[in-house]
Amino acid sequence: MPTAYRTMLRRVRTVLTNAWKGAAIAALCCGLFYLFVARGVFPGARWGVFLLYVAAIVSVYFYVGHQIATFNRTLPRGVRLTFMRFCTRFTELGGRVFLFMRISLISGFFLIAFMNGIG
């Protein structure tokens, strides 16, 4: 394996390993922001805080996509790696992609439930 290939594969693995942590931390930070700041200052700010959470999740998703696009530059011409190909080629990393998606959905659900419960 060329050095650039190994370096980019390591970088993509690191990003995918830690992506689910970004989703959980984003939900926690948005929940705390709503609890201590937004509901007192901006009445009815629930959906704004939830959109802030969605923006954080989308930015993590785009960052992972950017790392895969950068990884594609190290591959031979005509060979491209997408999320779905990535999941089938590197099965241990494919599980991490879906873990990130599941944690994002579950964290978003709990964030909405938390904000509605506090009201």
Side-chain angles (χ1 to χ4, degrees):
M1 260 192 237
T3 306
Y5 181 82
R6 278 194 301 264
T7 303
M8 288 309 301
L9 185 59
R10 190 175 330 120
R11 186 179 293 170
V12 168
R13 280 185 178 165
T14 303
V15 167
L16 285 176
T17 301
N18 296 322
W20 70 270
K21 295 174 188 173
I25 290 171
L28 178 66
C29 290
C30 287
L32 291 174
F33 174 70
Y34 177 76
L35 182 64
F36 294 116
V37 177
R39 79 180 167 132
V41 177
F42 310 108
R46 261 183 218 124
W47 293 109
V49 172
F50 183 71
L51 287 177
L52 183 66
Y53 169 73
V54 170
I57 295 302
V58 168
S59 69
V60 171
Y61 189 76
F62 280 141
Y63 183 71
V64 171
H66 173 70
Q67 291 301 320
I68 289 176
T70 306
F71 179 72
N72 280 335
R73 292 186 194 136
T74 64
L75 297 174
R77 190 176 193 125
V79 177
R80 291 292 166 248
L81 192 62
T82 62
F83 276 117
M84 295 314 288
R85 285 186 195 159
F86 194 77
C87 294
T88 57
R89 174 87 170 109
F90 304 103
T91 54
E92 78 279 0
L93 295 178
R96 294 177 189 167
V97 169
F98 293 114
L99 176 67
F100 165 65
M101 291 178 187
R102 283 186 294 232
I103 294 293
S104 300
L105 289 172
I106 291 168
S107 298
F109 173 75
F110 281 121
L111 179 64
I112 288 291
F114 171 73
M115 290 188 300
N116 282 333
I118 288 181

